[in-house]
Amino acid sequence: MSTRPTRNRQFRLASRPEGKVQRSNFDAVDGDVPSPGAGQLLVRTKYLSLDPTNRVWMQDIEQYLPPVQIGEVMRGVGLGEVIESQHPDFKAGDLVIGMVGWQEVAVLDGGGPNKPTRLPPGLPFPEPAFLGALGVTGITAYFGLLELGKPKAGETVVVSAAAGAVGSVAGQIAKLQGCRVVGIAGSADKCAWLTGELGFDAAICYRDADWKEQLRAACPEGIDVDFENVGGDIMSTVLAGMNLHGRVVLCGLISGYNTGKRMLGPFDTVLMKRLTVSGFIILDYAPRFMEAVMQLGQWMMQGKLRHADTIVDGLDAAPEALNMLFDGGNRGKLLVRVAVSQ
Ligand SMILES: NC(=O)c1ccc[n+]([C@@H]2O[C@H](COP(=O)([O-])OP(=O)(O)OC[C@H]3O[C@@H](n4cnc5c(N)ncnc54)[C@H](OP(=O)(O)O)[C@@H]3O)[C@@H](O)[C@H]2O)c1
């Protein structure tokens, strides 16, 4: 069990980024370690999840949560250990997932809508998996693909950002449904990993000059489901190859997050092909998260689902590391291992 840290390093939003995130967009502040009040917990962050949505939260634009305000601790999901508890449902030593923020220790409410999730002890999975294949990104892939994509055996599913946290799980789940699965990713190495280790039927590197022809050749029966993570030219190209009445799972539009440009695909194609386009935010499925985690965990235990991660060391690395999501530096789930000063 951890001893109580003597300092709390926090990253507070100092300015809104333009383009890539810069270290100067944050103030690093070393403060005192707070004490939890009644009903609260003191949590030491072990792993911080870096997500494309962090970049969106930094913008003062309309979105699904309020933007992070200048001067606030940067919002972020993490896995941490309870150091002190003033709530009957938690005790010191428990591992929890919650909105810890970009800081070494956090005070969280033990109840209410944002209460952290306590991990049952003794689960046979590495801790980072609870922020990846068994965490929000895995759950996003699960509900997005199965509830909105509705894939049937024999259909063709295309996944963009396929070697990332959500995409790698979505593609593996589509394989488990008996689909032909084609991934789109940014390097030959990632494509080799998708086909060689994750069982994708084909993977296309969108940096190849002839990637659109490669995609067409990889989908000889047309595309039934687009699990869309990227938007822009990639989305337009996939939509052009879709079959009538295909389903588009609009999970993310990462190609526009740094520029603020709208990266939606062509709506004339949606009309002509009578496509169903379903936007979703995983928070809407919060009451059903456990259902997804149980199934994902079972697949992992059976060796049918693989978790992959890219781990960066130290909270100080978080601002620069966030850019890995935009230049393709990560494979699987991107995390920061947070070392706490004593
Ligand atoms: N709707 C929801 O509730 C929900 C929840 C979680 C995530 N998401 C969305 O899901 C998507 C994936 O998120 P994630 O956390 O799993 O991230 P991720 O896929 O692990 O990382 C992002 C990946 O996107 C690719 N990428 C970045 N910019 C690109 C561009 N301009 N063109 C093509 N590819 C680009 C990069 O891989 P390459 O090397 O292949 O370029 C990068 O590794 C994001 O759009 C995110 O916003 C949505």
Side-chain angles (χ1 to χ4, degrees), residues 52 140 164-166 185-186 190 206 229 251-252 255 257 280-282 325 328 330:
T140 300
V166 174
K190 286 186 177 182
Y206 66 82
N229 286 318
C251 177
S255 60
Y257 296 172
F280 77 110
I281 294 293
I282 197 56
L325 296 167
N330 66 306

Side-chain angles (χ1 to χ4, degrees), residues 113 117 139 143 281-293:
T117 303
I139 295 169
F143 285 118
I281 294 293
I282 197 56
L283 297 179
D284 298 342
Y285 288 88
R288 293 177 58 193
F289 275 10
M290 201 41 71
E291 169 191 334
V293 174

Side-chain angles (χ1 to χ4, degrees), residues 171-172 175 179 181 192-202 306:
Q172 292 181 81
K175 275 310 295 176
C179 297
V181 181
W193 178 65
L194 292 171
T195 53
E197 293 188 38
L198 299 194
F200 282 50
D201 296 286
R306 297 182 66 162

Side-chain angles (χ1 to χ4, degrees), residues 39-302:
Q40 293 185 317
L41 327 169
L42 186 67
V43 174
R44 172 188 154 241
T45 309
K46 295 183 83 174
Y47 291 96
L48 178 67
S49 174
L50 293 184
D51 298 279
T53 198
N54 294 157
R55 180 67 183 79
V56 179
W57 291 341
M58 294 170 81
Q59 294 303 114
D60 192 11
I61 55 172
E62 190 182 350
Q63 48 187 293
Y64 65 97
L65 286 178
V68 177
Q69 297 302 313
I70 301 295
E72 282 183 355
V73 175
M74 181 60 200
R75 186 187 293 139
V77 175
L79 182 152
E81 180 183 347
V82 176
I83 304 173
E84 292 171 16
S85 173
Q86 301 284 351
H87 192 285
D89 293 348
F90 299 88
K91 61 179 188 316
D94 284 349
L95 290 180
V96 294
I97 309 274
M99 277 292 186
V100 294
W102 287 26
Q103 54 187 345
E104 292 174 335
V105 285
V107 170
L108 304 181
D109 289 335
N114 297 323
K115 71 174 182 186
T117 303
R118 192 173 69 87
L119 298 182
L123 290 175
F125 306 111
E127 289 175 1
F130 292 102
L131 292 173
L134 299 176
V136 172
T137 49
I139 295 169
T140 300
Y142 180 90
F143 285 118
L145 184 75
L146 296 179
E147 298 271 318
L148 304 174
K150 298 182 172 57
K152 296 181 205 61
E155 288 190 328
T156 298
V157 176
V158 171
V159 182
S160 54
V166 174
S168 60
V169 176
Q172 292 181 81
I173 298 174
K175 275 310 295 176
L176 287 166
Q177 308 309 303
C179 297
R180 174 172 177 77
V181 181
V182 178
I184 301 177
S187 72
D189 274 0
K190 286 186 177 182
C191 290
W193 178 65
L194 292 171
T195 53
E197 293 188 38
L198 299 194
F200 282 50
D201 296 286
I204 313 295
C205 175
Y206 66 82
R207 296 185 204 277
D208 289 353
D210 65 343
W211 76 270
K212 295 180 183 181
E213 289 74 34
Q214 289 185 42
L215 181 67
R216 258 195 300 279
C219 305
E221 309 284 324
I223 300 165
D224 300 292
V225 179
D226 170 26
F227 194 101
E228 186 56 54
N229 286 318
V230 172
D233 190 35
I234 288 182
M235 184 175 185
S236 301
T237 305
V238 175
L239 261 52
M242 289 196 73
N243 294 326
L244 287 187
H245 304 292
R247 285 87 69 202
V248 180
V249 181
L250 193 48
C251 177
L253 295 165
I254 194 169
S255 60
Y257 296 172
N258 269 341
T259 62
K261 286 197 188 130
R262 290 194 185 275
M263 302 307 281
L264 278 174
F267 268 79
D268 51 345
T269 307
V270 173
L271 171 65
M272 298 307 165
K273 298 194 170 200
R274 290 82 109 189
L275 305 178
T276 301
V277 182
S278 307
F280 77 110
I281 294 293
I282 197 56
L283 297 179
D284 298 342
Y285 288 88
R288 293 177 58 193
F289 275 10
M290 201 41 71
E291 169 191 334
V293 174
M294 298 289 283
Q295 178 62 81
L296 293 162
Q298 193 179 2
W299 282 331
M300 268 181 79
M301 298 244 288
Q302 294 167 337

